Amino acid sequence: MTEHDINEFIKRMGAIGDVWEAEDVECVYGGYRLEEAVRERTAAIERFQAMTSKG
């Protein structure tokens, strides 16, 4: 990811309450394209929400 992509990822995730630091994005999603990283993280959040809302 480029620096611009990292900032865009942080912006998009922040809009849904998922706060990231640039260094963390680089470490976790640095090898992804922006749209792939957004899809992956959004899916992870949805899985987590589904697991925690059961009961």
Side-chain angles (χ1 to χ4, degrees):
M1 269 200 226
T2 65
E3 185 176 339
H4 177 268
D5 291 344
I6 289 170
N7 290 330
E8 182 64 22
F9 179 90
I10 291 169
K11 178 181 170 186
R12 291 187 193 183
M13 294 300 102
I16 60 171
D18 189 30
V19 178
W20 285 77
E21 297 290 330
E23 297 81 20
D24 296 328
V25 177
E26 180 67 34
C27 180
V28 176
Y29 292 110
Y32 287 68
R33 287 191 218 119
L34 173 61
E35 294 305 323
E36 291 173 322
V38 168
R39 273 194 308 274
E40 172 72 21
R41 185 60 185 171
T42 302
I45 291 168
E46 289 171 355
R47 285 191 304 271
F48 179 76
Q49 289 174 334
M51 288 182 345
T52 58
S53 67
K54 289 183 179 182

